[in-house]
């Protein structure tokens, strides 16, 4: 473990984070967008754990646990909203499910 | 945890306890009135515990929270905002919602989140407070779950809040990688020694997360849609509490960052402030949906607040605190009027809905007029005094460009506020629309009347509030 | 250990990339779960066994399963839900891809110029994390439970009254 430079860990997190952003920009289906939000949160959590390992502290792992709790709460409500959205709009497409003017 | 620490945490404990009590009450007795009563009692109790906690300040309770006069002042403001929103929501929900009790639980929980946010001194409590506030808001925005617009607003807010929370977290992680500490004091200290590129990028990503919550340009896209789609009392909450809590945090922790870094940050915040002031006011001109007008107006007001933030120093902090009080009162009053006129099935959002309001219910029209005057900065309201304070702070800090933009933007603002006022005083075309409005909810009406008194009172005699602010707030570096 | 890190990291990146290209919701979920499991292995190679286990149990095992439930309820299949082949055209994905590459490049540059960060030796196991959770982060744990309560009440309200 002492041989893995921290940079590579953070770079990995950064790549995953960026892929999450790309996914949100490319895909127009809300279900997929929610998946990519989870990917982004996970990437941020990875960055925290890498940082914690670099300093030899437990704080980063604790932050990861908190991020986990947040992601869980957010997903629960997000998927509930998704089901309602599908029921009302009959589509999960972001561009079509848009009553409110941009 | 010593007893002193528990005493200083009393407001938070009371509030969280109140949320649980309301939840249990809703589980056993499905009564809207009971939920409202318990909520109000809980908020009053939390507010009353503030002086008790003040005796134990300033106190760092675990590395997470720093309870001092600053935090307690803003907590009080948040509790008051919650109280008003609860009253407004009662009248609104009575008109149509079958399951109103959950809103009060979520309201109390969001207030807990906001209170943690203003007291936080560590990235973990920052994040947790922010997310508690946000998660409660997701469900509150989409509370009219059978309305298309509400669900759409909720989902948009959730996605954007999730993405910006991820940005915020990644920024925190970068700063943590470089400094090895998650406490704000440690971060500021390490940044003072050698502000590295990684910390700067981390701060930049933090600003993305913060900017979204504040609803400033260029992170403002959600504001009009969410304001329009959410139930009116919830919009009032989003506009006041969520922005206010985040702003209090930003003021506390971005201020002591040393001048070396402030150059870059200064430019960033100046740009954001200018874009918000101009963009908010200009975009409001073309709207004819009252809720959207108020949304863009709130973007502009956050721009004004940023000017005071940039002024910094005691004058700047005084200006921010006073303007936030005025902003809270004004916003809640405005959305209070919208709430009283709305039902869950039909929100009073088009300009047409306000036509001839003076003839249907003169008191409401007068209240709304006072509110709009305060938003525009017309005497003798709190809004004008607030702007004067901001201008004074800006002059002291020689922020000439920002002040010019502030004045010009305010002038533009007067136009669309006056448009609403004039609409209220025009005679409606059909006889049917001239029916007098009766049977308005009492609690909400009383709250609105009180807010109007506050708005005019602060405009005429701001000294008592200023004294409180000076004693509690303006003690920062 | 080092090999495990690089291999798992590579798998994570590749499978996340593949999620973007999937039309079928279940396939996308499977690639996501694969990505999360690889990240768990990365955690383990970094000396964080507790979060590795939590990643598998909670993130991949609970949160992703919620997504699977939704797919089952909504019956999302590749032909429906308006996912046409339009988004495969270069016009759609060029912008985001360029932005992403710029972002990655920027972050890599920043990180490579920051010399001298190597990871400390020992693994930080459950004991240290627990001591932290019961010590300085005590309030954080309570706040997290309040956060989950908010999520619970919110999801309950949104979910009641069956959709017909």
């Amino acid at each position: 473990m002492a041989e893995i430079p921290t940079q590579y860990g953070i770079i990995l997190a950064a790549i995953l984070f960026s892929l999450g952003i790309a996914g949100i920009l490319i895909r127009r289906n809300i279900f997929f967008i929610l998946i990519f939000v989870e990917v982004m949160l996970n990437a941020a959590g990875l960055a925290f754990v890498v940082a914690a390992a670099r300093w030899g502290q437990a704080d980063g792992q604790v932050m990861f646990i908190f991020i986990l709790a947040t992601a869980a709460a957010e997903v629960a409500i997000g998927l509930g909203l998704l089901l309602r959205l599908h029921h009302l709009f009959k589509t999960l497409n972001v561009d079509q499910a848009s009553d409110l003017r941009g | 945890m010593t007893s002193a620490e528990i005493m200083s945490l009393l407001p938070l404990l009371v509030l969280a306890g109140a949320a649980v009590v309301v939840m249990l009450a809703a589980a056993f007795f499905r009564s809207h009135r009971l939920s409202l009563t318990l909520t109000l009692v809980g908020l009053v109790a939390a507010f009353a515990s503030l002086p008790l906690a003040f005796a134990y300040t300033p106190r760092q309770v675990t590395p997470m929270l720093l309870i001092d006069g600053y935090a307690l002042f803003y907590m009080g403001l948040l509790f008051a905002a919650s109280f008003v929103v609860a009253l407004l929501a009662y009248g609104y929900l009575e008109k149509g919602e079958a399951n109103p009790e959950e809103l009060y639980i979520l309201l109390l929980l969001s207030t807990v989140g906001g209170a943690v946010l203003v007291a936080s001194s560590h990235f973990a409590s920052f994040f947790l407070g922010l997310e508690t506030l946000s998660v409660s808001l997701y469900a509150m925005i989409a509370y009219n779950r059978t309305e298309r617009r509400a669900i759409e607003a909720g989902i948009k807010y959730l996605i954007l809040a999730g993405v910006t929370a991820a940005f915020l977290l990644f920024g925190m992680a970068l700063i943590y990688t470089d400094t090895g500490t998650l406490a704000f004091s440690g971060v500021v200290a390490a940044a003072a020694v050698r502000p590295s590129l990684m910390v700067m990028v981390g701060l930049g990503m933090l600003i993305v997360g913060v900017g979204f919550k504040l609803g400033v340009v260029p992170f403002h896209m959600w504001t009009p849609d969410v304001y329009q789609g959410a139930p009116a009392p919830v919009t009032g909450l989003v506009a006041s509490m969520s922005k206010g809590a985040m702003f209090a945090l930003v003021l506390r922790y971005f201020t002591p960052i040393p001048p070396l870094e402030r150059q870059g940050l200064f430019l960033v915040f100046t740009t954001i402030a200018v874009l918000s002031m101009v963009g908010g006011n200009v975009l409001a001109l073309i709207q004819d949906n009252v809720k959207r007008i108020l949304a863009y107006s709130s973007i502009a007001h956050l721009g004004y607040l940023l000017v005071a933030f940039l002024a910094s120093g005691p004058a700047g902090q005084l200006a921010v605190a006073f303007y936030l009080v005025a902003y809270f009162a004004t916003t809640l009053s405005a959305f209070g009027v919208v709430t009283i006129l709305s039902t869950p099935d039909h929100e009073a959002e088009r300009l047409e809905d306000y036509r001839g309001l003076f003839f249907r219910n003169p008191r409401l029209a007068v209240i709304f007029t006072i509110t709009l005057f305060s938003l525009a900065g017309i005497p003798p309201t709190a809004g004008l005094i607030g702007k004067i304070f901001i201008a004074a702070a800006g002059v002291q800090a020689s922020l000439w460009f920002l002040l010019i933009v502030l004045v010009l933007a305010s002038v533009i603002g007067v136009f669309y506020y006056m448009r609403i006022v004039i609409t209220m005083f025009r005679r409606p075309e059909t006889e049917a629309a001239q029916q007098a409005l009766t049977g308005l909810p009492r609690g909400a009406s009383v709250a609105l009347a009180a807010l109007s008194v506050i708005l005019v009172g602060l405009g005429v005699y701001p000294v008592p509030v200023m004294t409180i602010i000076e004693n509690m707030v303006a003690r920062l570096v | 250990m080092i090999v495990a890190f690089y291999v798992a990291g590579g798998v994570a990146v590749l499978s996340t990339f593949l999620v973007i290209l999937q039309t079928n919701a279940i396939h996308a979920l499977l690639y996501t779960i694969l990505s999360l499991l690889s990240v768990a292995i990365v955690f383990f190679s970094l000396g964080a066994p507790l979060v590795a286990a939590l990643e598998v149990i909670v993130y991949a095992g609970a949160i992703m399963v919620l997504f699977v439930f939704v797919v089952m309820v909504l019956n999302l299949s590749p032909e429906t839900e308006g996912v046409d082949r339009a988004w495969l055209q270069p016009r759609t994905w060029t912008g985001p891809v360029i932005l992403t590459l710029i972002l990655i490049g920027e972050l890599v540059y920043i990180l490579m110029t920051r010399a001298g960060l190597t990871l400390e030796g020992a693994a930080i196991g459950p004991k240290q994390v627990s001591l932290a959770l019961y010590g300085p982060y005590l309030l954080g744990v309570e706040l997290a439970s309040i956060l989950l309560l908010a999520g619970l009440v919110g999801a309950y309200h949104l979910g009641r009254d069956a959709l017909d």
Side-chain angles (χ1 to χ4, degrees):
Chain A
M1 283 150 283
E3 301 89 24
I4 308 172
T6 312
Q7 285 100 306
Y8 295 164
I10 306 275
I11 288 175
L12 174 65
I15 294 178
L16 289 175
F17 190 79
S18 316
L19 283 172
I21 298 176
I24 291 183
L25 292 174
I26 292 181
R27 296 304 294 260
R28 299 276 93 203
N29 185 314
I30 294 190
F31 182 78
F32 284 86
I33 291 179
L34 282 176
I35 292 180
F36 286 115
V37 172
E38 295 310 308
V39 167
M40 284 174 80
L41 285 172
N42 188 47
L46 173 62
F48 263 109
V49 175
V50 168
R54 176 246 191 282
W55 289 99
Q57 297 171 349
D59 297 44
Q61 297 191 27
V62 169
M63 276 302 283
F64 182 82
I65 294 177
F66 292 151
I67 295 175
L68 216 50
T70 307
E74 205 168 303
V75 162
I77 297 198
L79 290 176
L81 281 173
L82 188 89
L83 288 173
R84 287 267 163 201
L85 193 83
H86 185 255
H87 178 64
L88 290 170
F89 284 88
K90 303 291 180 266
T91 173
L92 285 181
N93 191 298
V94 167
D95 306 310
Q96 288 166 14
S98 192
D99 270 358
L100 302 163
R101 223 172 354 126
Chain B
M1 184 128 318
T2 66
S3 65
E5 288 178 339
I6 294 185
M7 283 303 287
S8 61
L9 286 179
L10 209 53
L12 286 172
L13 296 174
V14 169
L15 205 54
V20 173
V21 166
V22 175
M23 184 175 74
L24 289 175
F28 287 110
F29 318 103
R30 273 272 168 195
S31 160
H32 192 187
R33 182 149 267 226
L34 179 66
S35 301
L36 175 74
T37 318
L38 288 172
T39 308
L40 293 178
V41 166
L43 283 167
V44 167
F47 199 88
S49 69
L50 287 174
L52 291 175
F54 189 59
Y56 292 85
T57 61
R59 186 168 293 273
Q60 178 84 39
V61 179
T62 76
M64 303 275 109
L65 300 176
L66 175 61
I67 311 282
D68 57 1
Y70 184 89
L72 291 175
F73 172 79
Y74 283 107
M75 276 195 219
L77 198 57
L78 295 180
F79 296 164
S82 254
F83 189 88
V84 173
V85 171
L87 279 176
L88 292 175
Y90 182 77
Y92 179 86
L93 291 172
E94 276 287 289
K95 293 179 205 162
E97 175 63 44
N99 304 291
E101 291 85 11
E102 282 86 15
L103 188 80
Y104 300 99
I105 307 174
L106 290 169
L107 179 66
L108 287 171
L109 289 173
S110 68
T111 315
V112 171
V116 167
L117 201 56
V118 302
S120 92
S121 67
H122 192 279
F123 279 152
S125 50
F126 178 6
F127 176 65
L128 285 170
L130 178 66
E131 285 305 310
T132 309
L133 176 61
S134 300
V135 166
S136 314
L137 282 176
Y138 302 154
M140 282 201 277
I141 288 172
Y143 207 76
N144 289 338
R145 54 181 185 262
T146 50
E147 281 293 315
R148 287 162 63 108
R149 289 183 178 179
I151 299 286
E152 185 194 333
I155 263 256
K156 277 186 178 166
Y157 188 74
L158 184 142
I159 292 174
L160 286 174
V163 170
T164 53
F167 266 91
L168 187 85
L169 282 171
F170 205 89
M172 286 180 181
L174 284 178
I175 296 179
Y176 180 49
T177 311
D178 210 44
T179 60
T181 173
L182 286 173
F184 284 159
S185 51
V187 169
V188 169
V193 172
R194 39 175 187 95
S196 72
L197 189 57
M198 201 186 270
V199 170
M200 296 303 290
V201 172
L203 278 175
M205 294 181 89
L206 264 175
I207 291 180
V208 171
V210 164
F212 166 78
K213 212 63 191 165
L214 291 177
V216 288
V217 178
F219 312 108
H220 67 287
M221 306 300 288
W222 60 274
T223 314
D225 289 343
V226 169
Y227 274 47
Q228 188 187 356
V234 173
T235 311
L237 189 75
V238 170
S240 57
M241 183 160 83
S242 114
K243 295 190 179 190
M246 178 58 94
F247 203 90
L249 179 84
V250 165
L251 184 63
R252 204 219 277 261
Y253 288 107
F254 276 83
T255 314
I257 291 181
L260 190 66
E261 283 194 326
R262 268 186 77 85
Q263 284 309 321
L265 283 182
F266 192 84
L267 196 57
V268 168
F269 278 113
T270 308
T271 317
I272 292 178
V274 168
L275 287 175
S276 303
M277 286 191 281
V278 173
N281 279 312
V282 168
L283 288 171
L285 283 175
I286 57 179
Q287 299 292 328
D288 57 354
N289 181 309
V290 171
K291 282 169 114 181
R292 290 180 91 94
I293 290 178
L294 288 171
Y296 284 111
S297 125
S298 76
I299 296 176
H301 280 273
L302 261 296
Y304 304 148
L305 268 170
L306 278 177
V307 173
F309 162 72
L310 285 167
S312 80
Q317 285 153 25
L318 181 71
V320 167
F322 188 86
Y323 202 80
L324 270 175
V325 173
Y327 174 72
F328 267 53
T330 318
T331 305
L332 289 171
S333 179
F335 284 105
V337 173
V338 175
T339 306
I340 283 193
L341 293 172
S342 307
T343 68
D345 300 313
H346 172 72
E347 296 258 333
E349 46 189 39
R350 297 168 305 141
L351 209 51
E352 281 304 302
D353 294 328
Y354 292 85
R355 190 160 172 189
L357 184 62
F358 181 68
F359 304 102
R360 286 186 286 153
N361 188 327
R363 262 179 306 199
L364 261 186
V366 167
I367 290 177
F368 205 20
T369 308
I370 295 177
T371 310
L372 289 167
F373 276 11
S374 183
L375 281 171
I378 296 175
T381 56
L384 176 70
I385 302 287
K387 286 212 173 108
I388 291 178
F389 278 147
I390 295 180
V395 165
Q396 248 188 32
S398 304
L399 300 172
W400 305 114
F401 176 62
L402 281 167
L403 284 177
I404 294 175
V405 174
L406 186 142
V407 170
L408 289 176
S410 305
V411 169
I412 299 178
V414 173
F415 283 114
Y416 57 82
Y417 294 128
M418 285 304 110
R419 226 173 109 207
I420 303 179
V421 174
I422 292 172
T423 312
M424 281 197 296
F425 284 86
R426 279 164 69 187
R427 280 218 168 267
E429 289 173 357
T430 63
E431 280 305 309
Q434 271 189 347
Q435 304 271 329
L437 280 177
T438 55
L440 293 179
R442 258 183 328 162
S445 311
V446 168
L448 277 185
L451 282 173
S452 293
V453 169
I454 291 176
L455 279 178
V456 175
L458 279 181
V460 170
Y461 190 58
V463 172
V465 174
M466 277 170 58
T467 328
I468 299 178
I469 292 177
E470 268 167 12
N471 288 334
M472 296 190 88
V473 170
R475 289 260 183 83
L476 296 184
V477 167
Chain C
M1 267 311 174
I2 328 167
V3 177
F5 174 83
Y6 288 111
V7 170
V11 172
V13 171
L14 188 61
S15 49
T16 311
F17 175 69
L18 287 173
V19 177
I20 303 180
L21 299 180
Q22 298 305 310
T23 45
N24 187 321
I26 286 286
H27 291 177
L29 281 175
L30 287 176
Y31 276 112
T32 313
I33 293 178
L34 181 61
S35 161
L36 293 173
L37 292 177
S38 330
V39 170
I41 298 180
V42 169
F43 285 156
F44 193 74
S45 73
L46 287 172
L50 179 66
V51 285
L54 282 176
E55 172 94 354
V56 174
I57 297 173
V58 178
Y59 228 120
I63 296 179
M64 286 298 136
V65 167
L66 281 180
F67 279 97
V68 173
F69 286 163
V70 168
V71 171
M72 293 302 148
V73 166
L74 289 183
N75 221 5
L76 294 175
S77 58
E79 294 81 22
T80 61
E81 302 310 324
V83 178
D84 44 354
R85 307 305 280 181
W87 53 258
L88 270 187
Q89 292 172 4
R91 197 169 26 97
T92 319
W93 51 255
T94 316
V97 165
I98 292 178
L99 279 173
T100 309
L101 287 175
I102 294 176
L103 198 63
I104 296 179
E106 219 176 78
L107 283 163
V108 168
Y109 168 72
I110 291 164
L111 291 159
M112 294 316 282
T113 57
R114 182 81 178 78
L117 298 175
T118 51
L119 300 172
E120 306 275 312
I124 303 170
K127 180 170 179 185
Q128 282 107 309
V129 178
S130 319
L131 283 173
L133 281 173
Y134 273 91
Y137 289 97
L138 182 65
L139 287 179
V141 175
E142 303 304 325
L143 285 171
S145 70
I146 292 182
L147 167 62
L148 289 170
L149 179 68
L152 178 79
V153 174
Y156 167 74
H157 175 78
L158 288 172
R160 68 183 315 178
D161 300 338
L163 303 170
D164 41 21

